[in-house]
Amino acid sequence: MAAIQFAKGDAALDDGSHAVLEQVAAYAKQSRATVWLFGHTSQRIERVATGGPRAAAVALATERVRAVAVALVEQGVPPDRVELVARGNRDPAYREGAVEGEAANRRVDIYFTR
């Protein structure tokens, strides 16, 4: 598994993300694996949107997985082998309350299946 981190309220990939995604794309192409992308947000409200905090979290998580998916497809991973799941703030990997936990939960987790 790999993970891509994001700034608060943002879905833009940073420079460090591209190196990880190059490795992910190379493995996915070589192994013919399906890439599963799970988008997450922190428990705190990162953005305001119609539909309330849960809808805002899912919308932001969706933007994040799409950004990662676009980068992988641009690097040659077939789109039919990239699956996107927007989890929003439902599955925190880390306990929040500290800045580190909140930051670590703003992520896209990447898994492979054959």
Side-chain angles (χ1 to χ4, degrees), residues 53-70:
R54 171 94 38 192
V58 170
L60 181 55
T62 299
E63 290 178 36
R64 288 175 176 166
V65 293
R66 283 184 181 154
V68 172
V70 165

Side-chain angles (χ1 to χ4, degrees), residues 29-107:
K29 290 186 293 187
Q30 174 266 327
S31 69
R32 303 199 41 82
T34 298
V35 183
W36 286 84
L37 306 174
F38 293 85
H40 302 275
T41 63
S42 65
Q43 295 292 314
R44 297 175 196 243
I45 297 172
E46 293 187 46
R47 268 194 200 165
V48 178
T50 7
R54 171 94 38 192
V58 170
L60 181 55
T62 299
E63 290 178 36
R64 288 175 176 166
V65 293
R66 283 184 181 154
V68 172
V70 165
L72 292 174
V73 170
E74 286 175 350
Q75 292 181 44
V77 177
D80 63 335
R81 292 203 349 250
V82 180
E83 299 289 337
L84 287 63
V85 180
R87 299 295 298 156
N89 59 6
R90 288 179 276 178
D91 295 322
Y94 300 94
R95 189 165 174 238
E96 294 198 18
V99 174
E100 299 82 18
E102 181 181 343
N105 285 327
R106 297 189 305 258
R107 71 197 191 282

